[in-house]
Amino acid sequence: MGKALIIGCGGVASVAIHKCCQNSEVFEEICIASRTVSKCDALKEKLQGTTKTKITTAQVDADNVEELVALIRKVQPDVVLNLALPYQDLHIMDACLETGVHYVDTANYEPEDTAKFEYKWQWAYKERYEKAGITALLGSGFDPGVTSVFSAYALKHYFDEINYIDILDCNAGDHGYPFATNFNPEINIREVSAKGSYWENAHWVETEPMEIKRVYDFPEIGEKDMYLLHHEEIESLALNIPGIKRIRFFMTFGESYLTHLRCLENVGMTSIEPIMYEGKEIIPLQFLKAVLPDPSSLGPRTKGKTNIGCIFTGKKDGVEKTIYIYNTCDHQECYKEVGSQAVAYTTGVPAMIGTMMLMTGTWQGPGVFNIEEFDPDPFMDALNKWGLPWKIKENPDLVD
Ligand code: NDP
């Protein structure tokens, strides 16, 4: 049916590429393009012969708009799927604009020198995308992504208005290392060491990092400590879910992770301020990334499950009700299927599905959209079909 250009070939991209290759009716052809082309070639080597999808590869610096434009003109994709880092979002959006090709990503733009998590830079493209007649689909991972689709689905089928959303992200996987991150370490540590915040009564409420702790008894996992974080989907859901009074995001962390993080912070290793080292400028956090385990190597060693979902409280026909929509995913089952752990899997599958929604024309409309703005039903069906089945629990335990 079409052709996708996938930019980036790390942990999340590897899963999305496996899934595109399983779905060769839609993905007749993919081009995998990244900074290190040998990684793209190795993945192509592994997958071709197992799929009808034609695979090509290319080297690209996604910070160079001219290079991106030349590549898009050469490949002529229907959609560009950005699975590089958030720093590249605007460059890739510029290149899509110049070439008139749809754009999909999984994480909002962050300037490299300040840890700021806001949609304002990407929303600023709305008018230009409308004029160009192309679609940008923002945040097609799990969170943001599936959690936002769960919100749209709950609103469509279960509520007249949703007043409270708690997004709960639990990773109960054990990789056996004292400290490792499940996706890009630099991006992960920027996110978890930032101040926390939540949306309440039309305002942001800011907290110190990890200041608010709760314990929750997760289905299929059990009790885990979780901490309130700022998370990007709060910003768009606050606009797109009418009647909302409060949205919070919690993520589970083990004691070992938190102790290591605190020590690394205390000695300045998580700083994004450049320092001079042996006559060369380095960024401590980027150096730390280089010595930590590569998340894409965690697949064989990670055991246990993830559980990510949302608890919604609102009103239907004047009566208050609460439901919990969630997915659980087993690290080792993911590894058996695609050679990756569940955090990469739960992001890569929705990245493929979002791309498919644009490629098939199931979702369309010129402009820049957060994922909850489209009809959730076809996406929810696709989650069941492509490896992330979800469940609904009525009257779940509440967070407080
Ligand atoms: P990785 O670091 O494993 O992969 C990133 C890839 O992008 C690498 O292949 C890297 O190339 C490539 N890349 C980086 N810079 C450039 C550049 N300038 N030009 C071309 N390619 C480049 O990251 P992950 O796979 O863990 O994460 C990918 C994305 O997914 C991130 O944006 C992350 O925030 C997002 N994410 C979203 C989640 C969600 O639920 N919404 C959850 C988890 C992650 P090289 O191999 O040379 O380093």
Side-chain angles (χ1 to χ4, degrees):
M1 188 176 282
K3 198 192 286 183
L5 169 61
I6 299 167
I7 299 181
C9 192
V12 173
S14 171
V15 175
I17 291 162
H18 274 82
K19 285 290 171 179
C20 290
C21 289
Q22 289 176 11
N23 188 3
S24 48
E25 261 179 39
V26 171
F27 293 89
E28 283 173 342
E29 190 172 338
I30 57 171
C31 175
I32 315 168
S34 192
R35 185 166 54 188
T36 312
V37 73
S38 56
K39 289 189 192 169
C40 312
D41 290 335
L43 193 54
K44 173 184 168 182
E45 191 64 27
K46 180 181 169 201
L47 286 168
Q48 69 183 2
T50 69
T51 174
K52 286 189 181 147
T53 302
K54 182 182 167 200
I55 307 170
T56 59
T57 63
Q59 200 277 331
V60 75
D61 174 6
D63 286 321
N64 182 326
V65 178
E66 262 178 42
E67 251 185 52
L68 284 166
V69 166
L71 178 66
I72 295 172
R73 292 216 165 107
K74 184 170 163 225
V75 174
Q76 305 224 323
D78 301 288
V79 181
V80 172
L81 170 58
N82 167 16
L83 295 175
L85 300 180
Y87 315 136
Q88 278 83 50
D89 287 5
L90 302 188
H91 296 137
I92 301 175
M93 286 183 81
D94 282 331
C96 285
L97 201 49
E98 198 168 326
T99 51
V101 176
H102 302 310
Y103 168 90
V104 179
D105 69 25
T106 64
N108 72 1
Y109 171 70
E110 286 170 40
E112 207 162 344
D113 55 354
T114 45
K116 277 256 168 214
F117 312 97
E118 287 176 276
Y119 275 115
K120 68 173 183 199
W121 292 282
Q122 292 184 278
W123 285 344
Y125 282 73
K126 188 172 164 33
E127 232 172 77
R128 282 174 283 161
Y129 267 63
E130 278 168 3
K131 276 198 191 125
I134 54 172
T135 309
L137 174 61
L138 307 184
S140 191
F142 206 106
D143 42 340
V146 176
T147 51
S148 322
V149 175
F150 285 170
S151 303
Y153 186 80
L155 184 64
K156 182 171 175 184
H157 297 286
Y158 285 86
F159 294 96
D160 297 324
E161 63 177 78
I162 295 176
N163 306 125
Y164 300 96
I165 305 177
D166 278 331
I167 303 166
L168 310 189
D169 180 334
C170 169
N171 178 10
D174 181 6
H175 43 56
Y177 288 119
F179 186 77
T181 65
N182 292 288
F183 67 96
N184 183 290
E186 184 182 338
I187 306 299
N188 178 266
I189 292 172
R190 280 163 72 102
E191 177 179 303
V192 302
S193 50
K195 291 215 180 217
S197 68
Y198 59 98
W199 184 257
E200 189 165 50
N201 298 326
H203 292 98
W204 286 108
V205 181
E206 199 169 81
T207 69
E208 289 307 310
M210 309 282 179
E211 182 187 336
I212 297 185
K213 175 184 167 185
R214 296 284 185 273
V215 178
Y216 195 77
D217 191 2
F218 288 91
E220 298 177 47
I221 286 178
E223 279 196 359
K224 290 280 166 195
D225 294 347
M226 59 182 194
Y227 296 82
L228 185 140
L229 298 185
H230 171 80
H231 224 248
E232 63 207 56
E233 65 265 51
I234 298 177
E235 188 186 5
S236 68
L237 290 172
L239 286 180
N240 293 324
I241 302 294
I244 196 76
K245 292 183 180 155
R246 189 184 67 202
I247 314 175
R248 300 182 298 186
F249 181 97
F250 292 90
M251 190 177 272
T252 61
F253 294 100
E255 261 317 303
S256 173
Y257 181 98
L258 291 177
T259 307
H260 281 78
L261 183 65
R262 245 174 257 131
C263 293
L264 291 164
E265 276 169 353
N266 288 345
V267 296
M269 279 307 299
T270 60
S271 167
I272 57 173
E273 293 297 325
I275 56 159
M276 293 305 290
Y277 177 72
E278 294 193 341
K280 194 173 181 285
E281 197 177 87
I282 64 159
I283 295 180
L285 179 57
Q286 287 178 356
F287 180 79
L288 176 62
K289 172 189 184 269
V291 298
L292 286 175
D294 181 348
S296 62
S297 70
L298 299 177
R301 12 182 338 133
T302 310
K303 302 198 170 65
K305 287 186 179 183
T306 60
N307 176 328
I308 319 175
C310 308
I311 299 175
F312 302 100
T313 300
K315 290 194 190 73
K316 181 77 179 172
D317 302 326
V319 178
E320 187 167 294
K321 61 186 284 191
T322 301
I323 64 165
Y324 184 19
I325 312 184
Y326 64 91
N327 159 266
T328 54
C329 199
D330 185 285
H331 285 284
Q332 279 304 302
E333 279 174 23
C334 299
Y335 182 66
K336 269 185 231 137
E337 187 195 323
V338 297
S340 300
Q341 33 83 1
V343 175
Y345 190 92
T346 53
T347 312
V349 171
M352 179 282 283
I353 295 173
T355 310
M356 171 171 76
M357 292 290 132
L358 297 192
M359 202 115 105
T360 54
T362 308
W363 285 354
Q364 50 183 311
V368 174
F369 297 90
N370 289 92
I371 196 164
E372 68 273 14
E373 293 180 76
F374 287 108
D375 178 8
D377 292 355
F379 198 102
M380 294 291 275
D381 290 344
L383 286 171
N384 284 332
K385 179 169 177 192
W386 293 104
L388 293 176
W390 41 272
K391 293 180 183 156
I392 297 187
K393 191 173 176 183
E394 309 252 350
N395 300 317
D397 293 345
L398 296 177
V399 171
D400 289 311

